[in-house]
Amino acid sequence: MNRDTSRDLYDRALDSLPGGVNSSVRAAPVPYPTFVRSGEDGHVVDADGNRYVDWVMGLGPLLLGHSLPDRVTSAIQSRTADGPMFGMPTELEVEHAEFVTRHVPSVEMVRFVNSGTEATVSAVRLARGYTGREKVVVMESGYHGAQESTLVEGQGEPSSPGIPASFAEHTLPVPFNDPEAAHEVFEEHGDDIAAVLVEPVLANKGIVEPEPGYHETLRDLADDHGALLVWDEVITGFRVGGLQCAQGKYGFDPDLTTFGKIIGGGFPVGAIGGKTEIMNEFTPSGDVFQAGTFSGHPVTMAAGLETLRYAAEEDVYDHVNGLGDQLRSGLEDVVEDQAPQYSVVGTDSLFKVVFTRDGERPRNGGDVGDASVERWNRVFRPQMQDRGIMLSQNQFESQFVAAGHTEEDVERTIEAYADAL
Ligand SMILES: *Cc1c(COP(=O)(O)O)cnc(C)c1O
């Protein structure tokens, strides 16, 4: 497989972009990232013309795949033709918010922003403003974007230079699926905790599903101590649990929910949703400042809303979840046969093989970090790419099924795993 153009582009990019990329994970593949020329259905074509089955799917936003249905394309094109944006409201923002509030049980109001990071930043500020408290509980290895309040590990140490220790000390990380640790943190800091921020399923560090009762524990602790429960559904929203999101699937009623990825139909987006009483604390109805030049961008709103309407009217979720089941069960057979120490993980249209060392399904992000990460990155992933299968860019990111994928894509992928493992 000739990948010289990608190599040359990366070489060139290293002079003008730090690390050669605009988002860190894109530089994870060895020996250099693959530059993309175009996409079609469930496939991408790289800068050298090589075609791959693509399971990156934009890192989650592309529920429909790379070829958008005509109605989505025309919604985007006609919106663009009317002028890109105005800084004044448009009807589309109202319609999109109505769609989300109609389908997601806990969400009564929505504030649109421009990225998942911006959504979690604003949700944390809102929770702090609403409760008058400063501390937030997060999950170790949970991911809530590139933001100061959540890039924290261990006993509240910043996980990146540039984050003041005085900032990080207000963040309390606990291991996912560990009710004891959650009880302890609330016993110690209960009166100061504004919110618990949690992904329903850890989807940025392996894929770790909640154990029965874990989310109930967080809900009860938050209620007992007057803290808000914030579900970060930036990945799971409109993917896990379909139109009701993961909170519909698991039967939960968070106080606030953050969204991103799918709701923008492939354009930059984020949103905060929740109960009216809390959401009205945002300016201008309340006092918690929140604003953005591009927020509720008309082209994004058109793309996101038309994508979600299409998913509501066509059998998109049956299709992607069905292929997800086929992938997971096919990969289970391969792993059982050839690498019983590895674990097949995922739900709905998320899937992954984590290179665990003992065949135990990971219970939290720490377990995923202890897996054979180097083998996955350096030995396994490049072999899959040589076989025409584009997996996630590191061992930790999820892989995503889209409406554009076919059973043939699934079969080819399972065969390639069997061949490469
Ligand atoms: C992707 C992601 C974010 C960050 O969203 P960006 O749009 O990349 O800023 C936040 N939380 C979760 C759960 C995510 O998966």
Side-chain angles (χ1 to χ4, degrees), residues 59 114-118 120 143-146 199 203-204 232-235 258 260-261 269:
L59 290 162
N114 304 292
S115 69
T117 298
E118 223 186 295
T120 66
Y143 183 65
H144 305 291
E199 294 170 80
N204 289 279
D232 184 351
E233 294 229 41
V234 171
I235 275 195
T258 51
K261 301 197 168 114
V269 80

Side-chain angles (χ1 to χ4, degrees), residues 116-130 136 147 194-195 197 228 230-231 256-258 271-273 278-279 282 288 290:
T117 298
E118 223 186 295
T120 66
V121 167
S122 301
V124 168
R125 186 182 310 134
L126 181 61
R128 285 173 165 155
Y130 178 79
V136 289
Q147 69 130 316
L197 183 54
L228 301 185
V230 184
W231 270 30
L256 293 175
T257 303
T258 51
I272 309 94
I278 307 169
M279 291 296 292
F282 270 141
V288 178
Q290 208 291 318

Side-chain angles (χ1 to χ4, degrees), residues 68-76 302 305-306 308-311 313-314:
L68 298 177
D70 285 347
R71 57 187 275 189
V72 179
T73 311
S74 20
I76 295 167
L305 180 59
E306 209 52 39
L308 292 176
R309 283 182 175 154
Y310 181 87
E313 288 162 30
E314 307 291 330

Side-chain angles (χ1 to χ4, degrees), residues 97-107 238 242-245 247-248 308-309 312:
E98 286 169 352
F99 186 99
V100 174
T101 57
R102 199 159 59 241
H103 287 94
V104 187
S106 76
V107 174
F238 298 96
L243 295 172
Q244 297 196 319
C245 306
Q247 53 195 264
L308 292 176
R309 283 182 175 154

